[in-house]
Amino acid sequence: MEQVAVTGAPAGEGARAGDVVLLDGGMGQELVRRSGREPTPLWSSQVMLDQPELVRDLHLDFIRAGSRVITLNTYTATPQRLTLAGVGETIGAVHAAAGKAARDAIALSGETDIRVAGCLPPLVATYRPDVAPDQEESLASYRTLVALQAPLVDVLLCEALSSHDEAQAAATAALESGLPVWVSLTVKDDLNATLRSGEPLADTVAMLEALGVDAILINCSAPEAIQGSLDTLLGSSLLAGAYANGFTSIAALKPGGTVKDLKAREDLGPEQYAAHALGWVQRGLRIVGGCCEVGPAHIACLSEQLKAAGHRCVSRLGE
């Protein structure tokens, strides 16, 4: 499979200075809405098996909105989460269905410059590094996910990681694939550039830079928290990016909980979200998109605003 050519070159070196990789938005909440089902702790994994056409069509909507990179719908399909739900044996089927849904959406779109990103998420619970497995188990589990996803994708995206150890384990496993690796961290909403674990963002950025990942991002954090972390991101030699969530707060979400426990912000419609993301690009970020509560309408508005500002939305940089 053709790989995404992504390097750590600064803007203008190996890539057009105005090029921006435009990701998709959040899948989980949108799939819950479209399925009409009550959300479960597995969020969208069951939909992947029962109604894969919903996933395909949502990918297609994001592509039509302007996304150049779409992410596998496997966020909750980890060994730990599936085993806890009593469906651990479905992990291969979920990943195969996710890969097919993504590729079918690209085929239906008729687009030729769309790439697929894998998804290496927190293994047990989002925002809760305290319940993560130890490093040995984490590394083994991420290697399992990499083996399942590498044949399906163009780049491996480690996302919503809350601690130094989570990021190190996911990145280590991903780098063994030979595919480009992007690592996305989630930070506290206190604007102090700290991971959810309380560790300094700068320390983990330095570790990931030393490991040799291709890009570092922040996701599933408030737009304001991302703004507070830009100096740290941009202080690295790596390509940098961000995709925020639209929650009022994440405090109500506990391990085993569902998205119905969280509330969406009313001040983060497509125009407002696009304004945040365009500001990040103006500061120097080269990869943007959306996370939870950011749908196709948000991505369409962001795509329009990027183009109006003279940027070209692409699936790769450095070519």
Side-chain angles (χ1 to χ4, degrees):
M1 177 173 292
E2 182 184 5
Q3 296 183 9
V4 180
V6 181
T7 70
E13 295 181 18
R16 294 187 188 180
D19 286 355
V20 175
V21 173
L22 183 55
L23 308 176
D24 55 8
M27 297 287 289
Q29 280 87 333
E30 189 68 22
L31 287 170
V32 167
R33 294 186 189 100
R34 295 185 182 202
S35 71
R37 297 184 177 190
E38 189 73 7
T40 71
L42 287 185
W43 290 14
S44 55
S45 285
Q46 196 61 46
V47 174
M48 194 70 266
L49 294 175
D50 296 343
Q51 297 173 284
E53 71 279 359
L54 291 183
V55 179
R56 178 202 64 201
D57 292 347
L58 180 51
H59 282 315
L60 182 58
D61 286 349
F62 277 123
I63 293 169
R64 288 173 172 165
S67 299
R68 302 295 89 182
V69 176
I70 57 174
T71 302
L72 287 185
N73 182 48
T74 56
Y75 188 83
T76 59
T78 69
Q80 287 77 7
R81 291 193 189 209
L82 293 175
T83 298
L84 184 63
V87 291
E89 74 282 356
T90 67
I91 190 168
V94 170
H95 279 79
K100 185 176 187 302
R103 293 296 169 184
D104 285 352
I106 294 173
L108 286 171
S109 76
E111 299 278 358
T112 59
D113 187 30
I114 308 297
R115 299 292 179 265
V116 178
C119 175
L120 302 184
L123 295 169
V124 176
T126 307
Y127 315 126
R128 291 293 304 274
D130 57 308
V131 300
D134 62 30
Q135 281 296 88
E136 183 177 0
E137 181 183 344
S138 292
L139 185 56
S141 294
Y142 283 124
R143 283 172 170 158
T144 295
L145 294 176
V146 168
L148 289 167
Q149 294 181 20
L152 307 173
V153 305
D154 305 292
V155 58
L156 284 168
L157 172 61
C158 313
E159 62 176 342
L161 303 177
S162 298
S163 75
H164 192 91
D165 285 349
E166 273 189 335
Q168 186 175 44
T172 298
L175 286 164
E176 291 171 354
S177 72
L179 289 168
V181 174
W182 301 348
V183 180
S184 192
L185 307 164
T186 179
V187 296
K188 288 186 175 182
D189 294 334
D190 59 9
L191 313 185
N192 290 325
T194 55
L195 303 184
R196 301 284 183 183
S197 62
E199 297 165 299
L201 173 63
D203 290 352
T204 302
V205 168
M207 177 270 292
L208 293 169
E209 190 171 14
L211 279 180
V213 305
D214 297 279
I216 186 159
L217 306 88
I218 295 175
N219 82 295
C220 220
S221 308
E224 295 82 3
I226 289 173
Q227 183 68 29
S229 299
L230 288 183
D231 286 345
T232 303
L233 281 186
L234 294 169
S236 166
S237 64
L238 300 175
L239 287 168
Y243 49 116
N245 67 32
F247 293 135
T248 56
S249 170
I250 55 89
L253 186 63
K254 307 299 181 185
T258 71
V259 292
K260 70 178 181 180
D261 298 326
L262 302 181
K263 294 181 179 180
R265 289 171 58 163
E266 296 181 357
D267 63 343
L268 209 59
E271 292 284 345
Q272 294 98 323
Y273 186 82
H276 281 289
L278 185 59
W280 306 332
V281 170
Q282 290 169 341
R283 283 287 310 276
L285 297 195
R286 305 297 305 282
I287 307 169
V288 292
C291 201
C292 308
E293 298 293 352
V294 176
H298 294 79
I299 297 301
C301 185
L302 175 54
S303 176
E304 291 169 2
Q305 291 204 17
L306 285 167
K307 291 173 184 176
H311 299 286
R312 187 177 66 148
C313 297
V314 299
S315 70
R316 68 185 81 193
L317 297 168
E319 292 188 354

